Amino acid sequence: MKNITKFAAAAALASISAYAQSVSYTETTTGGNTLTPGTGNGSLIGYTTTLNLPQWNPALFPGTTLVGVQYTLMGEIFGRTVGVNPNAFPVAFVFDITSDNFTLTGPFGGSPGVSTLSASGSVPVISTGAIAPLASFGPTVTTLGSATSSAVSDPSNLASYIGSGTVSFGVSATSAFTLNGTAVGEGGEIFLQANSSTRGASTITVTYNYQSTEVPEPSTYAAMGFVGLVAGATIWRRRQMAKKA
């Protein structure tokens, strides 16, 4: 009897949950944003831009209503270096991003934001190997790190997400880089000329949760009624057995 009750309950819940659905839209800064170039250790580079995502259009989901909205921010940072070895001996060039952060501003006044989302993992190092005297290298481009925020809910502005237009999110990224030169096969000091820029990309995903406003199928009520009937019969039977004992 207990197994029958569990089966009936599972069937009823599965039928009800079919009315809860979601749809997601994603937008990424096109090709990454070229960050403001900088030279020398500790130079700050960054960008600020706006990403527009579709509103939840009720015409595309007839018979439903919007019940929740969440969004996430993913940041990715790229490094690009070009260098010249002006020395009379080989030089290895090392480039790394020491600090990179991404922030998101919500679309409406009371919306929550995502701040100081730092790329995860250890900072990768771009090494050119030995560069011959008076030779150059680059451009070298590589992914330096990425990170994704947890989902942020915005229930207070739910009505503002409904429509056939777009919702605007503000995103920004900042980084600082260091430049280091190492002589290969030669001692003493070296002089290295280099400039560097960084490219970053921000991706926003917004998820709309919506629910059917239609009356559940008769089968749903039947399943729920069956659960109640079986549960009631089980309780009555146990009470009868207890009395006899």
Side-chain angles (χ1 to χ4, degrees), residues 134-199:
L134 306 180
S136 62
F137 74 92
T140 299
V141 180
T142 189
T143 301
L144 299 171
S146 64
T148 303
S149 72
S150 57
V152 176
S153 298
D154 192 10
S156 62
N157 294 295
L158 199 61
S160 299
Y161 289 93
I162 302 174
S164 58
T166 59
V167 179
S168 297
F169 294 83
V171 293
S172 62
T174 59
S175 291
F177 64 83
T178 60
L179 302 172
N180 299 285
T182 305
V184 178
E186 294 283 348
E189 297 181 355
I190 65 168
F191 176 69
L192 179 66
Q193 294 178 332
N195 58 60
S196 180
S197 64
T198 301
R199 293 175 65 82

Side-chain angles (χ1 to χ4, degrees), residues 19-37:
Y19 290 87
Q21 304 175 64
S22 64
V23 61
S24 297
Y25 300 100
T26 298
E27 186 67 29
T28 301
T29 52
T30 305
N33 288 84
T34 300
L35 308 185
T36 305

Side-chain angles (χ1 to χ4, degrees), residues 2-245:
K2 184 181 295 185
N3 290 335
I4 295 177
T5 304
K6 289 182 178 179
F7 175 79
L13 290 174
S15 181
I16 295 172
S17 63
Y19 290 87
Q21 304 175 64
S22 64
V23 61
S24 297
Y25 300 100
T26 298
E27 186 67 29
T28 301
T29 52
T30 305
N33 288 84
T34 300
L35 308 185
T36 305
T39 59
N41 291 341
S43 295
L44 293 177
I45 45 183
Y47 70 84
T48 299
T49 188
T50 300
L51 291 178
N52 298 311
L53 289 95
Q55 290 178 298
W56 185 79
N57 189 347
L60 302 178
F61 309 96
T64 64
T65 183
L66 185 65
V67 296
V69 59
Q70 294 87 35
Y71 48 82
T72 59
L73 168 67
M74 192 278 281
E76 189 171 15
I77 203 79
F78 306 90
R80 179 178 184 273
T81 59
V82 179
V84 177
N85 174 20
N87 299 280
F89 48 85
V91 170
F93 181 78
V94 178
F95 168 70
D96 61 70
I97 291 290
T98 59
S99 172
D100 47 275
N101 296 286
F102 301 87
T103 62
L104 176 149
T105 303
F108 309 108
S111 299
V114 176
S115 61
T116 60
L117 172 65
S118 298
S120 58
S122 59
V123 177
V125 175
I126 305 168
S127 179
T128 65
I131 305 300
L134 306 180
S136 62
F137 74 92
T140 299
V141 180
T142 189
T143 301
L144 299 171
S146 64
T148 303
S149 72
S150 57
V152 176
S153 298
D154 192 10
S156 62
N157 294 295
L158 199 61
S160 299
Y161 289 93
I162 302 174
S164 58
T166 59
V167 179
S168 297
F169 294 83
V171 293
S172 62
T174 59
S175 291
F177 64 83
T178 60
L179 302 172
N180 299 285
T182 305
V184 178
E186 294 283 348
E189 297 181 355
I190 65 168
F191 176 69
L192 179 66
Q193 294 178 332
N195 58 60
S196 180
S197 64
T198 301
R199 293 175 65 82
S202 294
T203 300
I204 298 176
T205 298
V206 60
T207 300
Y208 296 116
N209 301 310
Y210 56 97
Q211 214 167 35
S212 174
T213 55
E214 298 176 354
V215 177
E217 296 291 334
S219 60
T220 302
Y221 289 119
M224 295 173 64
F226 179 65
V227 171
L229 178 63
V230 172
T234 301
I235 295 173
W236 178 83
R237 181 181 176 184
R238 289 179 177 174
R239 288 180 177 176
Q240 294 300 314
M241 292 177 66
K243 288 180 180 180
K244 293 180 180 180

